[in-house]
Amino acid sequence: MKEVKQKSILIMEDDQSLLDAIEHQFTMSGFNVFAAKDVEEGLSKIEAVGTVDIIWLDHYLLGKKNGLDFVIRMKNHEEWKNIPIFVVSNSSGSQNIQSYMRLGVTQYYTKADYDLGQIISDINYTLENEVGEENNKDK
Amino acid sequence: MMNDKQKEKYVFLLVKHPLYGRVLSWSVLIIFIIFLIISIYAVHDAFGVMITILFTGIALFIITVVFLLLYAFIEKLTKKTQNAEDIIDLLKESKERYALAVSGASEGLWDFNLKTDKAYFSEFWKSLLGYTDEDIIDTVDFWRDNIHKDDKEGVQQSFKNYIEKQTPYYSAEYRIKTKSGTYKWFFDKGRAIWDENNKAVRIAGSSRDISNIKKVEEVLKSKTEELENARQKIENEVNNTRKFKQAVESSSDAISIMTPAGSIIYANPAWEKLSGYSYENVRGGQFADWYEKDTDPDIIKDMWATLKLGKPFTSDDLIGRRKDGTTYQVEISLFPILRNGKRIFYTAIQQDITKRKEIDKAKTEFVSLASHQLRTPLSAVRWYAEMLLSGDAGNLDDKQNKYLSEIYSANKRMIELVGSLLNVSRIDLGTFGINPKETDLRKLFDSTLSELEPLIKERGITIKKEYPEKMPNVFIDPLLIRNVFQNLIGNSIKYTPEGGEVEINLKEEDTFIRFSVSDTGYGIPEYQQDKIFTKLFRADNVREHDTSGTGLGLYIVKAIMEKSGGKIWFESPVKGRENEENKGTIFYGIIPIKAGVQKSGLELVGAQHINNMKE
């Protein structure tokens, strides 16, 4: 029997009530959940566990730095640059969207337009494909 | 004593001159004969010898006398002859000289007898008109008849003025016909001879061929006119140029002129103000230097590439750096000035849009933040309702399910409304821009249809599609046009009773693509059709059936279509359904194939994935 490694997710979200809902749902889906409200906290959380499988990122965060700053830090990090990032934000403005896409995030969602379940299933889909690729590589 | 010349003459007289030589020779001969006769008769006695000696003496005496006389008068004689000779020579010379002078001065001579009307014309005069000396021209009439008709009166007047002693001599300029029929210009000058009654009996003078002078005069006249016109033109040009220069100098736009290599040769005061550099520092500098540090290098590259092709370049993304280090953003229009197809320099017109950009940025930030603030609680309601409905907090009974569903759908409508309001506010604030990409409209329609699949299934609507096999891509913003399609198809589905039909049509027409979305739905009442594209408007008949619409969709659709260079309109009832209860509606739209849409700015964002992974 293959051991299914538990997937880990870092959730970067500044609104507490939303963060609670998201954390709850991901835990229910079998994820190991880490949460942070600002860029520095997020980075140190990843540091603490070494790496995470996926990141949920909101654009507006606590403090001066926003989601874009976080992505830049991640993409410049030797070990973490390939961690898929899902930007889930209620801020509009395609300037931001374009910037995120250019930086190489996996997907961008306008939060209010999606059910939480939809986003989670997309995330699972991404991870499965990645894992599949990894498995193929091993062979 | 005699000089050489006189000696010559003397010899000449004695020996060569016929008369004096003859006289001398005959006298010598006669004396000799007399001597001979006397000697024959008287030579035999002494008396005879004496007579002979006497006569010989007399003969010698006579000869001596003759010689002395000759000697005495030689000077006078030679002088007289010389005078006569000289006079003849001088006369000959002067005649020659005169003839030379006259012919050298290109003047022919004429002499009119005003009584007999007879005239004398010199050989040269005749030759001027192409006649030879053999041609008999001897009447004043000849001269009169050959004067050009336009000049006759002038000549007559000049003549009259002189005869009436108003002028000191006669002079006239006129054209006269030559033998070949062409005309020459003559300048005559003459003087008259008066009789006792002070009447002019004879007039003589010279004619000069001034045709060449006249030609030169004509040329001079026309050249002077040309010069005067040219001078006028130049003056006008200078004045115009002054006007332009003044306009450029006082313009509030920064204007500069550069060589094709980019070296600045002129910058107006507004340029100095904008860049913070004085003209001395600007002149000769490289234009790109002011922008290279702070502008996106792709834009600089694009600028040079466009200019190389001889095309005008516009951008509002150029960022310049002032002397004091501060930056400014400009809207720039760069275009080449061509002469004979060659680029001789570039002109740049710039406007400082830093403030404008700052305001735009502030507006965008506001909308973005407002969007975030409004939507966050809406997301919370949505997700918590979702979790409750999925049984996360325990099983629900029917009532609980129902109430929660109401909360969930009301919240969704709110989310939709907020989204539309944000888009409308962007349209109104003018912070709505376009990012065009090459798009296949068929794919866009299909993707929209698949997104609306659940709704289509729910209402049992049949979808009909008519796409051409081959269709060119259009250069439009796919997000925005998708929004348009979502709206139109969504409306059709919503406002068509169950089991109805929605048909989508795509067609290539010349320079644009025409699409239509038609349905067998409730239609739009005629008395309300003019309000359809206005904000928050919903027709009476649809409000009856469905209270959930925002009334903003079509306003946004129209704004998007028009910004994209297209058009949108509709017809209701649909042709053939006038007598049906559900008259149907058909929306038409045209999208230009080659769109010239603005580049920068911000976008309207639809609620969707950017890249739909599942596609």
Side-chain angles (χ1 to χ4, degrees):
Chain A
M1 262 265 292
K2 262 193 235 162
E3 234 188 65
V4 183
K5 190 182 162 207
Q6 188 188 33
K7 286 167 235 143
S8 59
I9 181 168
L10 169 68
I11 301 169
M12 308 273 302
E13 172 64 60
D14 67 329
D15 187 274
Q16 189 60 53
S17 87
L18 290 179
L19 183 56
D20 288 342
I22 300 164
E23 267 186 294
H24 174 77
Q25 289 294 86
F26 273 104
T27 312
M28 293 272 288
S29 295
F31 280 80
N32 191 2
V33 178
F34 301 97
K37 291 212 175 86
D38 63 61
V39 174
E40 291 307 319
E41 195 190 343
L43 291 168
S44 52
K45 287 260 164 109
I46 306 176
E47 184 81 50
V49 287
T51 188
V52 286
D53 292 303
I54 198 145
I55 296 174
W56 169 300
L57 175 67
D58 193 353
H59 175 68
Y60 286 108
L61 299 164
L62 288 185
K64 285 211 181 120
K65 301 229 175 97
N66 63 26
L68 282 169
D69 299 310
F70 182 79
V71 175
I72 292 168
R73 292 287 290 273
M74 290 298 289
K75 292 299 173 189
N76 280 325
H77 195 284
E78 196 51 48
E79 286 167 41
W80 301 336
K81 60 185 177 191
N82 291 321
I83 300 175
I85 300 174
F86 275 66
V87 182
V88 187
S89 178
N90 269 325
S91 73
S92 60
S94 65
Q95 209 91 323
N96 281 340
I97 299 172
Q98 282 198 16
S99 308
Y100 278 112
M101 298 315 286
R102 250 188 255 142
L103 285 168
V105 303
T106 313
Q107 196 51 280
Y108 184 104
Y109 293 85
T110 303
K111 206 181 282 174
D113 293 337
Y114 294 90
D115 283 344
L116 197 41
Q118 277 175 292
I119 304 176
I120 294 177
S121 92
D122 283 352
I123 287 177
N124 276 322
Y125 186 81
T126 306
L127 287 174
E128 271 164 40
N129 278 354
E130 268 196 8
V131 170
E133 274 171 29
E134 276 176 32
N135 285 344
N136 285 336
K137 276 193 207 150
D138 289 341
K139 286 185 190 139
Chain B
M1 273 316 281
M2 296 188 279
N3 56 26
D4 286 310
K5 195 137 190 233
Q6 286 173 318
K7 274 192 195 147
E8 244 181 73
K9 298 274 184 212
Y10 190 51
V11 166
F12 171 73
L13 281 170
L14 282 179
V15 179
K16 293 192 186 149
H17 196 282
L19 185 59
Y20 294 104
R22 261 181 265 151
V23 164
L24 213 57
S25 352
W26 276 111
S27 6
V28 168
L29 195 65
I30 290 165
I31 292 165
F32 185 64
I33 290 168
I34 294 171
F35 181 63
L36 216 65
I37 295 169
I38 295 167
S39 49
I40 290 168
Y41 278 110
V43 80
H44 41 267
D45 62 23
F47 184 66
V49 172
M50 254 179 44
I51 301 287
T52 312
I53 292 167
L54 184 67
F55 274 107
T56 312
I58 293 168
L60 284 167
F61 177 70
I62 293 169
I63 291 168
T64 314
V65 164
V66 169
F67 274 125
L68 283 170
L69 277 172
L70 282 174
Y71 177 74
F73 289 110
I74 188 92
E75 297 213 43
K76 272 201 184 151
L77 285 173
T78 54
K79 251 202 192 127
K80 260 202 185 131
T81 339
Q82 185 168 40
N83 282 345
E85 289 287 312
D86 281 347
I87 284 167
I88 292 171
D89 273 341
L90 283 169
L91 205 63
K92 198 171 172 209
E93 220 181 292
S94 89
K95 189 181 173 200
E96 279 172 351
R97 205 179 298 145
Y98 183 66
L100 269 167
V102 166
S103 65
S106 313
E107 295 195 25
L109 303 171
W110 48 270
D111 195 336
F112 295 167
N113 189 322
L114 295 169
K115 278 201 185 142
T116 63
D117 216 42
K118 282 275 183 193
Y120 159 76
F121 296 100
S122 71
E123 185 184 345
F124 189 68
W125 194 100
K126 289 192 261 186
S127 76
L128 285 176
L129 297 181
Y131 295 99
T132 63
D133 210 21
E134 265 90 68
D135 292 303
I136 306 285
I137 301 169
D138 55 3
T139 59
V140 183
D141 270 336
F142 172 86
W143 173 76
R144 282 200 202 101
D145 290 341
N146 278 290
I147 298 176
H148 193 285
K149 61 176 169 63
D150 292 339
D151 300 328
K152 271 206 173 99
E153 206 184 305
V155 173
Q156 275 173 357
Q157 191 61 44
S158 302
F159 215 86
K160 193 161 168 269
N161 287 343
Y162 172 65
I163 298 297
E164 290 172 8
K165 305 231 176 126
Q166 287 181 31
T167 55
Y169 50 79
Y170 159 72
S171 70
E173 263 183 33
Y174 58 91
R175 279 161 287 180
I176 183 162
K177 201 186 324 183
T178 64
K179 189 173 188 183
S180 60
T182 60
Y183 281 90
K184 271 194 177 177
W185 274 98
F186 268 18
F187 173 63
D188 282 1
K189 235 175 145 175
R191 274 206 141 119
I193 292 173
W194 315 91
D195 64 10
E196 341 46 76
N197 302 321
N198 244 326
K199 198 171 165 215
V201 292
R202 190 170 151 210
I203 182 161
S206 60
S207 296
R208 197 192 309 174
D209 181 353
I210 56 166
S211 303
N212 286 334
I213 295 175
K214 274 293 179 186
K215 267 196 207 127
V216 170
E217 243 179 61
E218 287 256 354
V219 171
L220 256 173
K221 191 169 168 220
S222 77
K223 286 292 173 197
T224 310
E225 263 175 40
E226 269 180 46
L227 262 171
E228 180 54 39
N229 287 342
R231 191 196 64 80
Q232 256 303 103
K233 262 194 185 163
I234 290 173
E235 208 178 286
N236 288 342
E237 283 304 314
V238 167
N239 283 338
N240 281 340
T241 313
R242 263 195 219 117
K243 275 186 228 153
F244 281 117
K245 184 153 198 265
Q246 267 180 302
V248 167
E249 292 273 305
S250 57
S251 169
S252 58
D253 287 349
I255 301 173
S256 57
I257 302 177
M258 293 145 296
T259 65
S263 180
I264 298 177
I265 57 178
Y266 169 80
N268 72 343
W271 209 108
E272 292 178 347
K273 201 170 163 206
L274 173 67
S275 67
Y277 287 90
S278 67
Y279 184 51
E280 288 77 50
N281 294 333
V282 163
R283 192 174 27 165
Q286 250 298 330
F287 180 76
D289 286 350
W290 274 268
Y291 303 95
E292 265 167 351
K293 274 203 206 115
D294 305 278
T295 308
D296 184 342
D298 284 337
I299 294 176
I300 302 276
K301 240 191 259 171
D302 187 21
M303 181 172 84
W304 286 122
T306 312
L307 293 174
K308 251 209 182 106
L309 294 170
K311 292 200 185 128
F313 173 77
T314 54
S315 167
D316 52 354
D317 293 318
L318 246 67
I319 300 173
R321 184 175 279 254
R322 286 196 193 90
K323 198 172 187 182
D324 61 9
T326 57
T327 56
Y328 55 93
Q329 195 158 352
V330 288
E331 184 173 20
I332 191 167
S333 190
L334 252 169
F335 46 92
I337 306 288
L338 303 166
R339 189 196 288 159
N340 300 330
K342 208 180 166 211
R343 262 170 284 139
I344 52 173
F345 49 79
Y346 291 108
T347 306
I349 301 179
Q350 299 168 63
Q351 253 191 3
D352 188 348
I353 55 169
T354 315
K355 256 257 157 64
R356 194 183 90 192
K357 285 282 177 175
E358 274 167 23
I359 292 171
D360 279 353
K361 199 166 168 221
K363 282 188 202 167
T364 321
E365 269 304 308
F366 165 75
V367 173
S368 180
L369 197 58
S371 159
H372 180 262
Q373 303 291 64
L374 286 168
R375 282 166 159 163
T376 300
L378 294 174
S379 298
V381 172
R382 180 179 184 149
W383 290 349
Y384 281 103
E386 178 195 342
M387 289 194 288
L388 282 170
L389 282 167
S390 65
D392 238 353
N395 284 331
L396 303 169
D397 65 34
D398 285 342
K399 257 204 186 146
Q400 287 169 333
N401 212 322
K402 186 168 186 288
Y403 293 174
L404 273 167
S405 300
E406 293 290 340
I407 290 171
Y408 182 80
S409 29
N411 185 63
K412 263 186 103 173
R413 272 163 49 199
M414 187 65 157
I415 290 172
E416 202 193 310
L417 181 58
V418 166
S420 298
L421 278 171
L422 285 169
N423 284 341
V424 166
S425 82
R426 267 195 221 98
I427 293 170
D428 287 352
L429 283 174
T431 59
F432 152 32
I434 304 216
N435 275 331
K437 292 184 183 78
E438 270 214 43
T439 313
D440 183 343
L441 289 175
R442 293 170 298 183
K443 288 210 181 111
L444 208 56
F445 263 122
D446 285 344
S447 142
T448 310
L449 284 168
S450 75
E451 203 183 294
L452 291 166
E453 194 62 43
L455 189 60
I456 295 168
K457 276 219 176 80
E458 191 189 307
R459 297 188 62 83
I461 304 288
T462 317
I463 304 286
K464 265 169 109 181
K465 297 190 296 186
E466 256 207 59
Y467 299 165
E469 264 206 38
K470 274 202 181 142
M471 208 181 68
N473 290 343
V474 287
F475 199 60
I476 46 107
D477 186 330
L479 289 179
L480 297 177
I481 302 298
R482 196 206 184 95
N483 200 313
V484 168
F485 291 171
Q486 275 175 327
N487 246 290
L488 295 176
I489 301 173
N491 282 350
S492 284
I493 298 168
K494 273 200 287 181
Y495 304 131
T496 300
E498 293 192 12
E501 220 177 73
V502 170
E503 188 179 320
I504 297 166
N505 230 289
L506 266 171
K507 197 173 160 206
E508 183 184 347
E509 265 179 33
D510 213 12
T511 55
F512 49 82
I513 307 271
R514 180 200 281 252
F515 67 83
S516 68
V517 177
S518 83
D519 60 54
T520 57
Y522 311 126
I524 301 171
E526 278 192 50
Y527 64 93
Q528 296 196 301
Q529 286 188 0
D530 57 342
K531 295 204 190 70
I532 278 295
F533 290 112
T534 58
K535 260 186 242 184
L536 297 167
F537 177 81
R538 297 192 71 230
D540 294 335
N541 59 343
V542 295
R543 283 198 298 141
E544 266 178 52
H545 287 105
D546 174 6
T547 52
S548 68
T550 60
L552 291 171
L554 287 176
Y555 174 81
I556 295 169
V557 158
K558 187 156 186 268
I560 293 173
M561 287 301 287
E562 286 174 1
K563 257 287 171 110
S564 305
K567 262 186 153 153
I568 184 137
W569 69 100
F570 66 90
E571 269 170 27
S572 183
V574 174
K575 279 201 191 81
R577 295 187 69 85
E578 294 86 349
N579 298 322
E580 303 276 342
E581 192 200 325
N582 295 310
K583 303 200 188 306
T585 317
I586 177 163
F587 271 85
Y588 293 104
I590 53 169
I591 295 175
I593 296 176
K594 279 188 172 61
V597 290
Q598 66 176 72
K599 272 197 265 178
S600 57
L602 308 153
E603 289 172 12
L604 278 180
V605 186
Q608 63 252 318
H609 289 251
I610 306 301
N611 314 307
N612 192 334
M613 292 186 309
K614 289 185 183 148
E615 277 176 332

